[in-house]
Amino acid sequence: MLSIKNLSVKAGKNLILQNINLDIGKNEVMVLFGPNGSGKSTLLRSIMGFNGYQIVSGGIIFKGRPLKNLSVETRVKQGLGIMYQSPPKIRGVKLSQIADFLCPDKAKICKLAEILALTQHLSRDINVDFSGGEMKRAEIFQLILQNPDMLLLDEPESGVDLENISLMGGVLNGFLQQEGKSALIITHTGYILDYVPAEKGCIMLDGKIWCLGSPKEMFENIRSKGYEKCRECTFRG
Ligand code: ADP
Ligand code: MG
């Protein structure tokens, strides 16, 4: 589904990602760990083709085709979807308007809004005065209505309480159970691992993929020993 080959990316003048190689197959979920500033969000933004990220070498293949030079819009049409770490507020656009734009099925919109406790929010401007949990639920809501094949989730649990994580985790899990859906998920807390079927994990340090392995084992090691121990480790998965 997604194949990243020898990818190096500059943001501004700085080389942020160095020689990244990753493969995520159809129906596969990969979890990406790494300390703050290691380049995780940069990787997701580079996959989406956002402005400000310059690919200096290597490339990204999605569904067998290179993404090079494709606009964000085209990438979305081909089946990529992102959930932001800090979603933007959009004054003047109601959540229901974007929902109608993303999905023609009104009944589906209403049902999903109800499940995600967003029915009252449909008539409000997107993310304006939403709580942290509401913003993240609204992100999942839009992403699922968009119906991408490859979900890029940037810290879906950050700033979300346990009850809301469970609600979002259940919805995400249901979505990922469908045929042909894959995901790359950045997580710090690891809570999302209780809900989504992640088979693969990787750790990013200083813009490089440090190791590949089982996400649950990796998370336990990070929790007990910290990322500094990763640096000393010569195991590369
Ligand atoms: P993470 O998500 O792992 O916390 P980021 O990918 O957000 O890390 O950032 C990695 C590094 O790249 C940071 O030092 C950040 O300041 C830098 N960076 C990210 N985007 C830009 C940009 N547009 N211009 C300059 N530096 C950037
Ligand atoms: Mg980040």
Side-chain angles (χ1 to χ4, degrees), residues 36-37 39-42 45 85 154-155 186 188:
N36 289 334
K40 305 178 301 296
S41 296
T42 300
R45 293 188 203 123
Q85 186 172 359
D154 198 344
E155 298 190 27
I186 299 175
H188 269 296

Side-chain angles (χ1 to χ4, degrees), residues 199-203 211-218 235-237:
E199 310 82 359
K200 283 180 164 179
C202 62
I203 298 177
C211 98
L212 295 165
S214 139
K216 287 214 164 132
E217 266 174 44
M218 276 181 165
F235 175 71
R236 290 288 189 275

Side-chain angles (χ1 to χ4, degrees), residues 1-5 21-33 150 176 182-187 192-193 196-204 209 211-219 222 237:
M1 176 78 83
L2 187 80
S3 185
I4 302 174
K5 301 223 183 286
N21 285 288
L22 281 180
D23 279 295
I24 304 173
K26 206 171 160 187
N27 304 313
E28 235 172 33
V29 176
M30 179 180 267
V31 178
L32 173 58
F33 300 105
M150 176 87 215
L176 288 170
S182 307
L184 175 58
I185 307 177
I186 299 175
T187 179
I192 203 78
L193 295 175
V196 297
E199 310 82 359
K200 283 180 164 179
C202 62
I203 298 177
M204 184 179 275
I209 297 295
C211 98
L212 295 165
S214 139
K216 287 214 164 132
E217 266 174 44
M218 276 181 165
F219 184 63
I222 294 163

Side-chain angles (χ1 to χ4, degrees), residues 126-185:
I126 297 168
N127 293 332
V128 176
D129 299 327
F130 283 20
S131 71
E134 288 166 350
M135 268 193 248
K136 292 285 182 167
R137 295 203 314 269
E139 282 283 289
I140 295 269
F141 175 67
Q142 293 166 69
L143 197 58
I144 286 182
L145 293 176
Q146 183 193 321
N147 194 25
D149 293 329
M150 176 87 215
L151 283 81
L152 306 171
L153 308 180
D154 198 344
E155 298 190 27
E157 332 96 314
S158 77
V160 181
D161 61 32
L162 289 176
E163 221 168 280
N164 277 306
I165 288 173
S166 157
L167 188 60
M168 283 170 31
V171 170
L172 268 178
N173 187 40
F175 185 78
L176 288 170
Q177 296 295 331
Q178 296 174 84
E179 174 55 27
K181 304 293 179 194
S182 307
L184 175 58
I185 307 177

Side-chain angles (χ1 to χ4, degrees), residues 90 93-114 116 118-119 121-126 137-147:
I90 310 179
V93 182
K94 311 248 174 271
L95 188 59
S96 62
Q97 288 174 296
I98 201 153
D100 290 339
F101 174 76
L102 292 168
C103 173
D105 184 345
K106 286 251 184 239
K108 183 175 171 182
I109 294 173
C110 290
K111 190 169 167 218
L112 188 61
E114 199 182 323
L116 286 167
L118 288 170
T119 305
H121 301 70
L122 286 170
S123 57
R124 288 172 57 182
D125 286 1
I126 297 168
R137 295 203 314 269
E139 282 283 289
I140 295 269
F141 175 67
Q142 293 166 69
L143 197 58
I144 286 182
L145 293 176
Q146 183 193 321
N147 194 25

Side-chain angles (χ1 to χ4, degrees), residues 22 41 63 69 72 79 81 174 207:
L22 281 180
S41 296
K63 295 183 178 169
N69 299 329
V72 177

